[in-house]
Amino acid sequence: MVQVEGGAAARERLLEELGTVSRRYMASYALFNQAFADHLGLHPTDLQCLNLLALEGGPVTTGRVAELTGLTTGSATRLVDRLERAGYAVRERDVADRRRVLVATVPEKLAELTRVWDRLGGGYNALFDDLGDGQLALIIEHMRRTTRFSSEQVERLRSGDV
């Protein structure tokens, strides 16, 4: 871990640099996400929804899609329609409750997406080769905290509380 001496002024400079680096990081990821989605013929939001669906580990309701994405149920339905048309998702009846319709990912299409990701991001883990376990744990915790913070800010923006 990098140790920096210099008191409040040094910390202020580091926080300013962190803000700048974070903005560049988010912009580069958004541009990467757009290019990846374009390559797959998807909208960037649809690609991220597909990512979230894969992380769910099984079929979910359209209501859950709305929760995961922060979209209204109507918008989530249209998003699922697009994923279905593109072949990445299917709607199926819940075997436990035939009245419920679940959204499931298509394993073959996810495997295709994973193959593209592996060709693009194959060197991602190598970025961390020179870091110790403690440094990796710090990055993981930072990402968890940032994810929680971002979710809270999305909620504030959507509720008009800004």
Coordinates of all heavy atoms in Angstrom, one line a residue, residues 68-147:
L68 N -33.5 -4.7 -10.3 CA -32.1 -4.8 -10.6 C -31.6 -3.6 -11.4 O -30.5 -3.1 -11.2 CB -31.8 -6.1 -11.4 CG -31.9 -7.4 -10.7 CD1 -31.8 -8.6 -11.7 CD2 -30.8 -7.5 -9.6
T69 N -32.5 -3.1 -12.3 CA -32.1 -2.0 -13.2 C -32.5 -0.7 -12.8 O -32.1 0.3 -13.3 CB -32.6 -2.3 -14.6 OG1 -34.0 -2.4 -14.6 CG2 -32.0 -3.6 -15.2
G70 N -33.5 -0.6 -11.9 CA -34.1 0.6 -11.5 C -35.1 1.2 -12.5 O -35.5 2.3 -12.4
L71 N -35.5 0.4 -13.4 CA -36.4 0.8 -14.5 C -37.9 0.6 -13.9 O -38.1 -0.2 -13.0 CB -36.3 -0.1 -15.7 CG -34.9 0.1 -16.5 CD1 -34.8 -0.9 -17.6 CD2 -34.8 1.5 -17.0
T72 N -38.8 1.2 -14.6 CA -40.2 0.9 -14.3 C -40.5 -0.5 -14.8 O -39.8 -1.0 -15.6 CB -41.1 1.9 -15.0 OG1 -41.0 1.8 -16.4 CG2 -40.8 3.4 -14.5
T73 N -41.6 -1.1 -14.4 CA -41.9 -2.4 -14.8 C -42.2 -2.4 -16.3 O -41.9 -3.3 -17.0 CB -43.1 -3.0 -14.1 OG1 -44.2 -2.1 -14.1 CG2 -42.8 -3.3 -12.6
G74 N -42.8 -1.3 -16.8 CA -43.1 -1.2 -18.3 C -41.8 -1.1 -19.1 O -41.6 -1.8 -20.1
S75 N -40.8 -0.4 -18.6 CA -39.5 -0.3 -19.3 C -38.8 -1.6 -19.2 O -38.1 -2.0 -20.1 CB -38.7 0.9 -18.7 OG -39.3 2.1 -19.0
A76 N -38.9 -2.3 -18.0 CA -38.2 -3.6 -17.8 C -38.8 -4.6 -18.8 O -38.1 -5.4 -19.4 CB -38.3 -4.0 -16.4
T77 N -40.1 -4.5 -19.0 CA -40.8 -5.4 -19.9 C -40.2 -5.2 -21.3 O -39.9 -6.2 -22.1 CB -42.3 -5.2 -19.9 OG1 -42.8 -5.6 -18.6 CG2 -43.0 -6.1 -21.0
R78 N -40.1 -3.9 -21.7 CA -39.6 -3.6 -23.1 C -38.1 -4.1 -23.2 O -37.7 -4.6 -24.2 CB -39.7 -2.2 -23.4 CG -41.2 -1.8 -23.7 CD -41.3 -0.4 -24.1 NE -41.0 0.6 -23.2 CZ -41.8 1.0 -22.2 NH1 -43.0 0.5 -22.0 NH2 -41.4 2.0 -21.3
L79 N -37.3 -3.9 -22.1 CA -35.9 -4.4 -22.1 C -35.9 -5.9 -22.3 O -35.1 -6.4 -23.1 CB -35.3 -4.0 -20.8 CG -33.8 -4.2 -20.7 CD1 -33.2 -3.3 -19.6 CD2 -33.4 -5.6 -20.3
V80 N -36.7 -6.7 -21.6 CA -36.8 -8.1 -21.7 C -37.2 -8.5 -23.1 O -36.7 -9.4 -23.7 CB -37.7 -8.7 -20.7 CG1 -38.0 -10.2 -20.9 CG2 -37.1 -8.5 -19.3
D81 N -38.2 -7.7 -23.7 CA -38.6 -7.9 -25.1 C -37.4 -7.9 -26.0 O -37.2 -8.7 -26.9 CB -39.6 -6.9 -25.5 CG -41.0 -7.1 -24.9 OD1 -41.3 -8.2 -24.3 OD2 -41.8 -6.1 -25.0
R82 N -36.5 -6.8 -25.8 CA -35.4 -6.7 -26.7 C -34.4 -7.8 -26.5 O -33.8 -8.3 -27.5 CB -34.7 -5.3 -26.4 CG -35.5 -4.1 -26.8 CD -34.7 -2.8 -26.8 NE -34.1 -2.5 -25.5 CZ -34.7 -1.8 -24.5 NH1 -35.9 -1.3 -24.7 NH2 -34.1 -1.5 -23.4
L83 N -34.1 -8.2 -25.2 CA -33.2 -9.3 -25.0 C -33.8 -10.6 -25.6 O -33.0 -11.4 -26.1 CB -33.0 -9.5 -23.5 CG -32.1 -8.5 -22.8 CD1 -32.1 -8.8 -21.3 CD2 -30.7 -8.5 -23.4
E84 N -35.1 -10.8 -25.6 CA -35.7 -12.0 -26.2 C -35.5 -12.0 -27.7 O -35.1 -13.0 -28.3 CB -37.2 -12.0 -25.7 CG -37.8 -13.4 -25.9 CD -39.2 -13.5 -25.3 OE1 -39.9 -12.4 -25.2 OE2 -39.5 -14.6 -24.8
R85 N -35.8 -10.8 -28.3 CA -35.6 -10.7 -29.8 C -34.2 -10.9 -30.2 O -33.9 -11.5 -31.2 CB -36.1 -9.3 -30.2 CG -37.5 -9.2 -30.5 CD -37.9 -7.9 -31.3 NE -37.4 -6.7 -30.7 CZ -38.0 -6.0 -29.7 NH1 -39.2 -6.4 -29.2 NH2 -37.5 -4.9 -29.2
A86 N -33.2 -10.5 -29.4 CA -31.8 -10.7 -29.7 C -31.4 -12.1 -29.4 O -30.2 -12.5 -29.7 CB -31.0 -9.7 -28.9
G87 N -32.2 -12.9 -28.7 CA -31.9 -14.3 -28.4 C -31.1 -14.5 -27.1 O -30.7 -15.7 -26.9
Y88 N -31.0 -13.5 -26.3 CA -30.3 -13.6 -25.0 C -31.1 -14.1 -23.8 O -30.6 -14.5 -22.8 CB -29.6 -12.3 -24.7 CG -28.4 -12.1 -25.6 CD1 -28.4 -11.3 -26.7 CD2 -27.1 -12.7 -25.2 CE1 -27.3 -11.1 -27.5 CE2 -26.0 -12.5 -26.0 CZ -26.1 -11.7 -27.2 OH -25.0 -11.5 -28.0
A89 N -32.4 -13.9 -24.0 CA -33.3 -14.3 -22.9 C -34.6 -14.9 -23.4 O -35.0 -14.8 -24.6 CB -33.7 -13.0 -22.1
V90 N -35.2 -15.7 -22.6 CA -36.5 -16.3 -22.9 C -37.5 -16.1 -21.7 O -37.0 -16.1 -20.6 CB -36.4 -17.8 -23.3 CG1 -35.7 -18.0 -24.6 CG2 -35.8 -18.6 -22.2
R91 N -38.7 -16.1 -22.0 CA -39.7 -16.1 -20.9 C -40.2 -17.5 -20.8 O -40.4 -18.2 -21.8 CB -40.9 -15.2 -21.3 CG -40.5 -13.7 -21.2 CD -41.8 -12.9 -21.6 NE -41.6 -11.5 -21.3 CZ -41.2 -10.6 -22.2 NH1 -40.9 -10.9 -23.4 NH2 -41.1 -9.3 -21.8
E92 N -40.4 -18.0 -19.5 CA -40.8 -19.3 -19.3 C -41.8 -19.3 -18.1 O -41.6 -18.5 -17.2 CB -39.7 -20.3 -19.1 CG -38.7 -19.8 -18.0 CD -37.4 -20.7 -18.0 OE1 -36.9 -21.1 -19.0 OE2 -36.9 -20.9 -16.8
R93 N -42.7 -20.2 -18.1 CA -43.6 -20.4 -16.9 C -42.8 -20.9 -15.7 O -42.0 -21.8 -15.8 CB -44.7 -21.3 -17.2 CG -45.7 -20.8 -18.3 CD -46.7 -19.9 -17.6 NE -47.5 -19.3 -18.7 CZ -48.2 -18.2 -18.5 NH1 -48.1 -17.6 -17.4 NH2 -48.9 -17.7 -19.5
D94 N -43.1 -20.4 -14.5 CA -42.6 -20.9 -13.3 C -43.2 -22.2 -13.0 O -44.4 -22.4 -13.0 CB -43.0 -19.9 -12.2 CG -42.3 -20.2 -10.8 OD1 -41.9 -21.4 -10.6 OD2 -42.3 -19.4 -9.9
V95 N -42.4 -23.3 -12.8 CA -42.9 -24.6 -12.6 C -43.6 -24.7 -11.3 O -44.6 -25.5 -11.2 CB -41.8 -25.7 -12.7 CG1 -41.2 -25.8 -14.1 CG2 -40.7 -25.4 -11.7
A96 N -43.3 -23.9 -10.3 CA -44.0 -23.9 -9.0 C -45.3 -23.2 -9.0 O -46.2 -23.5 -8.3 CB -43.1 -23.4 -7.9
D97 N -45.4 -22.1 -9.9 CA -46.6 -21.3 -10.0 C -46.8 -21.0 -11.4 O -46.2 -20.0 -11.9 CB -46.5 -20.1 -9.1 CG -47.7 -19.2 -9.2 OD1 -48.6 -19.4 -10.0 OD2 -47.7 -18.2 -8.4
R98 N -47.6 -21.7 -12.1 CA -47.8 -21.6 -13.6 C -48.3 -20.2 -14.0 O -48.2 -19.8 -15.1 CB -48.7 -22.7 -14.1 CG -48.3 -24.1 -13.9 CD -47.0 -24.5 -14.6 NE -47.3 -24.5 -16.1 CZ -46.3 -24.4 -16.9 NH1 -45.0 -24.4 -16.6 NH2 -46.6 -24.4 -18.2
R99 N -48.8 -19.4 -13.0 CA -49.3 -18.1 -13.3 C -48.1 -17.1 -13.5 O -48.3 -16.1 -14.2 CB -50.2 -17.6 -12.2 CG -51.5 -18.4 -12.1 CD -52.2 -18.0 -10.9 NE -51.4 -18.4 -9.7 CZ -51.7 -18.1 -8.5 NH1 -52.8 -17.5 -8.1 NH2 -50.9 -18.5 -7.5
R100 N -47.0 -17.4 -12.9 CA -45.8 -16.5 -13.0 C -45.0 -16.8 -14.2 O -44.8 -17.9 -14.6 CB -44.9 -16.7 -11.7 CG -45.4 -16.0 -10.5 CD -44.5 -16.1 -9.3 NE -43.2 -16.6 -9.5 CZ -42.1 -16.2 -8.8 NH1 -42.3 -15.3 -7.9 NH2 -41.0 -16.7 -9.1
V101 N -44.5 -15.7 -14.8 CA -43.6 -15.8 -15.9 C -42.2 -15.3 -15.5 O -42.1 -14.3 -14.8 CB -44.1 -15.0 -17.1 CG1 -43.1 -15.0 -18.3 CG2 -45.5 -15.5 -17.6
L102 N -41.3 -16.2 -15.8 CA -39.9 -15.8 -15.4 C -39.0 -15.5 -16.7 O -39.3 -16.0 -17.7 CB -39.3 -17.0 -14.7 CG -40.0 -17.4 -13.4 CD1 -39.3 -18.7 -12.8 CD2 -39.9 -16.3 -12.4
V103 N -38.0 -14.7 -16.4 CA -37.1 -14.4 -17.5 C -35.8 -15.2 -17.2 O -35.3 -15.1 -16.1 CB -36.8 -12.9 -17.5 CG1 -35.7 -12.5 -18.6 CG2 -38.0 -12.0 -17.6
A104 N -35.4 -16.0 -18.2 CA -34.2 -16.8 -18.1 C -33.2 -16.4 -19.2 O -33.6 -16.1 -20.3 CB -34.6 -18.3 -18.2
T105 N -32.0 -16.5 -18.9 CA -31.0 -16.2 -19.9 C -30.8 -17.5 -20.8 O -31.1 -18.6 -20.3 CB -29.6 -15.8 -19.3 OG1 -29.2 -16.9 -18.4 CG2 -29.7 -14.5 -18.6
V106 N -30.3 -17.3 -22.0 CA -30.1 -18.4 -22.9 C -28.6 -18.8 -22.8 O -27.7 -18.0 -23.1 CB -30.4 -18.0 -24.3 CG1 -30.0 -19.2 -25.3 CG2 -31.9 -17.7 -24.4
P107 N -28.3 -20.0 -22.2 CA -26.9 -20.4 -21.9 C -26.0 -20.3 -23.1 O -24.9 -19.8 -22.9 CB -27.1 -21.9 -21.4 CG -28.5 -22.0 -20.9 CD -29.3 -21.0 -21.8
E108 N -26.4 -20.7 -24.3 CA -25.6 -20.7 -25.4 C -25.2 -19.2 -25.8 O -24.0 -19.0 -26.2 CB -26.2 -21.3 -26.7 CG -26.6 -22.8 -26.5 CD -27.9 -23.0 -25.7 OE1 -28.7 -22.0 -25.6 OE2 -28.1 -24.1 -25.2
K109 N -26.1 -18.3 -25.7 CA -25.8 -16.9 -26.0 C -24.9 -16.3 -24.9 O -24.0 -15.5 -25.2 CB -27.1 -16.1 -26.1 CG -27.9 -16.5 -27.3 CD -27.2 -16.1 -28.6 CE -27.5 -14.7 -29.0 NZ -27.0 -14.3 -30.3
L110 N -25.1 -16.7 -23.6 CA -24.2 -16.2 -22.6 C -22.8 -16.8 -22.8 O -21.8 -16.0 -22.6 CB -24.7 -16.6 -21.2 CG -25.8 -15.7 -20.6 CD1 -26.1 -16.2 -19.2 CD2 -25.4 -14.3 -20.5
A111 N -22.7 -18.0 -23.2 CA -21.4 -18.6 -23.5 C -20.7 -17.8 -24.7 O -19.5 -17.6 -24.6 CB -21.5 -20.1 -23.9
E112 N -21.5 -17.4 -25.7 CA -20.9 -16.7 -26.8 C -20.4 -15.3 -26.3 O -19.3 -14.9 -26.6 CB -22.1 -16.5 -27.8 CG -21.7 -15.6 -29.0 CD -23.0 -15.4 -29.9 OE1 -23.6 -16.4 -30.2 OE2 -23.3 -14.3 -30.2
L113 N -21.2 -14.7 -25.4 CA -20.9 -13.4 -24.8 C -19.6 -13.5 -24.0 O -18.7 -12.7 -24.1 CB -22.0 -12.8 -24.0 CG -21.9 -11.5 -23.4 CD1 -23.2 -10.8 -23.3 CD2 -21.2 -11.5 -22.1
T114 N -19.5 -14.6 -23.2 CA -18.3 -14.9 -22.4 C -17.1 -15.1 -23.3 O -16.0 -14.6 -22.9 CB -18.6 -16.1 -21.5 OG1 -19.7 -15.8 -20.7 CG2 -17.4 -16.4 -20.6
R115 N -17.2 -15.8 -24.4 CA -16.1 -16.0 -25.3 C -15.6 -14.6 -25.8 O -14.4 -14.4 -25.8 CB -16.4 -16.9 -26.4 CG -16.5 -18.3 -26.1 CD -16.6 -19.2 -27.3 NE -17.8 -19.1 -28.0 CZ -19.0 -19.6 -27.7 NH1 -19.0 -20.4 -26.7 NH2 -20.0 -19.4 -28.5
V116 N -16.5 -13.7 -26.2 CA -16.0 -12.4 -26.6 C -15.4 -11.6 -25.5 O -14.3 -11.1 -25.7 CB -17.2 -11.6 -27.2 CG1 -16.8 -10.1 -27.5 CG2 -17.8 -12.3 -28.4
W117 N -16.0 -11.7 -24.3 CA -15.4 -11.0 -23.1 C -14.0 -11.6 -22.8 O -13.1 -10.8 -22.6 CB -16.3 -11.2 -21.9 CG -15.6 -10.7 -20.6 CD1 -15.1 -11.5 -19.7 CD2 -15.2 -9.4 -20.3 NE1 -14.5 -10.8 -18.7 CE2 -14.6 -9.5 -19.1 CE3 -15.5 -8.2 -20.9 CZ2 -14.1 -8.3 -18.4 CZ3 -15.0 -7.0 -20.3 CH2 -14.3 -7.1 -19.0
D118 N -13.8 -12.9 -22.9 CA -12.5 -13.5 -22.6 C -11.5 -13.0 -23.6 O -10.3 -12.8 -23.2 CB -12.6 -15.0 -22.6 CG -13.3 -15.6 -21.4 OD1 -13.5 -14.9 -20.4 OD2 -13.7 -16.8 -21.5
R119 N -11.9 -12.9 -24.9 CA -10.9 -12.3 -25.9 C -10.5 -10.9 -25.6 O -9.4 -10.5 -25.8 CB -11.5 -12.5 -27.3 CG -11.4 -13.9 -27.8 CD -11.7 -14.0 -29.3 NE -12.9 -13.4 -29.8 CZ -14.1 -14.0 -29.8 NH1 -14.2 -15.2 -29.4 NH2 -15.1 -13.3 -30.3
L120 N -11.5 -10.1 -25.1 CA -11.3 -8.7 -24.8 C -10.6 -8.5 -23.5 O -9.7 -7.7 -23.3 CB -12.6 -7.9 -24.8 CG -13.3 -7.8 -26.1 CD1 -14.7 -7.2 -25.9 CD2 -12.5 -6.9 -27.0
G121 N -11.0 -9.2 -22.4 CA -10.6 -8.9 -21.1 C -9.6 -10.0 -20.6 O -9.4 -10.1 -19.3
G122 N -9.1 -10.8 -21.5 CA -8.2 -11.9 -21.0 C -7.1 -11.5 -20.1 O -6.6 -12.3 -19.3
G123 N -6.6 -10.3 -20.3 CA -5.5 -9.8 -19.5 C -5.9 -9.1 -18.2 O -5.0 -8.6 -17.5
Y124 N -7.1 -9.1 -17.9 CA -7.6 -8.3 -16.8 C -7.0 -8.7 -15.5 O -6.5 -7.9 -14.7 CB -9.2 -8.4 -16.7 CG -9.7 -7.6 -15.5 CD1 -9.8 -6.2 -15.6 CD2 -10.2 -8.2 -14.4 CE1 -10.4 -5.5 -14.6 CE2 -10.7 -7.5 -13.3 CZ -10.8 -6.1 -13.4 OH -11.3 -5.4 -12.4
N125 N -6.9 -10.0 -15.2 CA -6.3 -10.5 -13.9 C -4.9 -10.1 -13.8 O -4.3 -9.9 -12.7 CB -6.6 -12.0 -13.8 CG -8.0 -12.3 -13.3 OD1 -8.7 -11.4 -13.0 ND2 -8.4 -13.5 -13.4
A126 N -4.2 -10.0 -15.0 CA -2.8 -9.7 -15.0 C -2.5 -8.3 -14.4 O -1.4 -8.0 -13.9 CB -2.2 -9.8 -16.4
L127 N -3.5 -7.4 -14.5 CA -3.4 -6.1 -13.9 C -3.1 -6.1 -12.4 O -2.6 -5.2 -11.9 CB -4.7 -5.3 -14.1 CG -5.1 -4.9 -15.6 CD1 -6.5 -4.3 -15.6 CD2 -4.1 -4.0 -16.2
F128 N -3.4 -7.2 -11.8 CA -3.3 -7.3 -10.3 C -2.2 -8.3 -9.9 O -2.0 -8.5 -8.7 CB -4.6 -7.8 -9.7 CG -5.8 -7.0 -10.2 CD1 -6.6 -7.4 -11.2 CD2 -6.0 -5.7 -9.7 CE1 -7.7 -6.6 -11.6 CE2 -7.0 -4.9 -10.1 CZ -7.9 -5.4 -11.1
D129 N -1.4 -8.7 -10.9 CA -0.3 -9.7 -10.5 C 0.7 -9.1 -9.5 O 1.2 -9.9 -8.7 CB 0.5 -10.1 -11.8 CG -0.3 -11.1 -12.6 OD1 -1.3 -11.6 -12.1 OD2 0.1 -11.3 -13.8
D130 N 1.0 -7.8 -9.6 CA 2.0 -7.3 -8.7 C 1.4 -6.8 -7.3 O 2.1 -6.2 -6.5 CB 2.7 -6.1 -9.4 CG 1.8 -5.0 -9.8 OD1 0.6 -5.2 -9.9 OD2 2.4 -3.9 -10.0
L131 N 0.1 -7.1 -7.1 CA -0.5 -6.6 -5.8 C -0.6 -7.8 -4.9 O -0.9 -8.9 -5.2 CB -1.9 -6.1 -6.1 CG -2.0 -4.9 -7.1 CD1 -3.5 -4.5 -7.3 CD2 -1.2 -3.7 -6.6
G132 N -0.5 -7.4 -3.6 CA -0.6 -8.4 -2.5 C -2.1 -8.7 -2.2 O -3.0 -7.9 -2.7
D133 N -2.4 -9.7 -1.4 CA -3.8 -10.0 -1.1 C -4.4 -8.9 -0.3 O -5.6 -8.6 -0.6 CB -3.8 -11.3 -0.2 CG -3.4 -12.5 -1.0 OD1 -3.3 -12.4 -2.2 OD2 -3.2 -13.6 -0.4
G134 N -3.7 -8.2 0.5 CA -4.3 -7.0 1.2 C -4.7 -5.9 0.3 O -5.7 -5.3 0.5
Q135 N -3.9 -5.7 -0.7 CA -4.2 -4.7 -1.7 C -5.5 -5.1 -2.5 O -6.3 -4.2 -2.8 CB -3.0 -4.4 -2.6 CG -1.9 -3.7 -1.9 CD -0.6 -3.7 -2.7 OE1 -0.2 -4.7 -3.2 NE2 -0.1 -2.5 -2.9
L136 N -5.5 -6.3 -2.9 CA -6.7 -6.8 -3.6 C -7.9 -6.7 -2.8 O -9.0 -6.3 -3.2 CB -6.5 -8.3 -4.0 CG -5.5 -8.5 -5.2 CD1 -5.4 -10.0 -5.4 CD2 -6.0 -7.8 -6.5
A137 N -7.8 -7.0 -1.5 CA -9.0 -6.9 -0.6 C -9.4 -5.4 -0.5 O -10.6 -5.2 -0.4 CB -8.6 -7.5 0.8
L138 N -8.5 -4.5 -0.5 CA -8.8 -3.1 -0.4 C -9.5 -2.7 -1.7 O -10.5 -1.9 -1.6 CB -7.5 -2.3 -0.3 CG -7.7 -0.7 -0.2 CD1 -8.5 -0.3 1.0 CD2 -6.3 -0.1 -0.3
I139 N -9.1 -3.1 -2.8 CA -9.8 -2.8 -4.1 C -11.2 -3.4 -4.1 O -12.2 -2.7 -4.5 CB -9.0 -3.3 -5.3 CG1 -7.7 -2.5 -5.4 CG2 -9.8 -3.2 -6.6 CD1 -6.7 -3.1 -6.4
I140 N -11.3 -4.6 -3.6 CA -12.7 -5.2 -3.6 C -13.6 -4.4 -2.6 O -14.7 -4.1 -3.0 CB -12.5 -6.7 -3.1 CG1 -11.9 -7.5 -4.2 CG2 -13.9 -7.3 -2.7 CD1 -11.4 -8.9 -3.8
E141 N -13.1 -4.1 -1.5 CA -13.9 -3.3 -0.5 C -14.3 -1.9 -1.1 O -15.4 -1.5 -1.0 CB -13.2 -3.1 0.8 CG -14.0 -2.3 1.8 CD -15.3 -2.9 2.2 OE1 -15.6 -4.1 2.0 OE2 -16.2 -2.1 2.6
H142 N -13.3 -1.3 -1.8 CA -13.6 0.0 -2.5 C -14.7 -0.2 -3.5 O -15.7 0.6 -3.6 CB -12.4 0.5 -3.2 CG -12.7 1.6 -4.2 ND1 -13.0 2.9 -3.8 CD2 -12.7 1.6 -5.5 CE1 -13.3 3.6 -4.9 NE2 -13.0 2.8 -5.9
M143 N -14.7 -1.3 -4.3 CA -15.7 -1.5 -5.3 C -17.1 -1.8 -4.7 O -18.1 -1.3 -5.1 CB -15.3 -2.6 -6.2 CG -14.1 -2.3 -7.1 SD -13.7 -3.6 -8.2 CE -13.6 -2.7 -9.7
R144 N -17.1 -2.5 -3.6 CA -18.3 -2.7 -2.9 C -18.9 -1.4 -2.3 O -20.1 -1.2 -2.5 CB -18.1 -3.7 -1.7 CG -18.0 -5.1 -2.1 CD -17.9 -6.1 -0.9 NE -17.8 -7.5 -1.4 CZ -16.9 -8.3 -1.0 NH1 -16.1 -8.0 -0.1 NH2 -16.9 -9.5 -1.5
R145 N -18.1 -0.6 -1.7 CA -18.5 0.7 -1.2 C -19.0 1.6 -2.3 O -20.0 2.3 -2.1 CB -17.4 1.3 -0.4 CG -17.1 0.6 0.9 CD -15.9 1.0 1.6 NE -16.1 2.4 2.2 CZ -15.2 3.0 2.9 NH1 -14.0 2.4 3.2 NH2 -15.4 4.1 3.4
T146 N -18.3 1.6 -3.4 CA -18.7 2.5 -4.5 C -20.0 2.0 -5.1 O -20.9 2.8 -5.5 CB -17.6 2.5 -5.6 OG1 -16.4 2.9 -5.0 CG2 -17.9 3.3 -6.8
T147 N -20.2 0.7 -5.2 CA -21.4 0.1 -5.7 C -22.6 0.5 -4.8 O -23.7 1.0 -5.3 CB -21.4 -1.4 -5.8 OG1 -20.3 -1.7 -6.7 CG2 -22.6 -2.0 -6.4

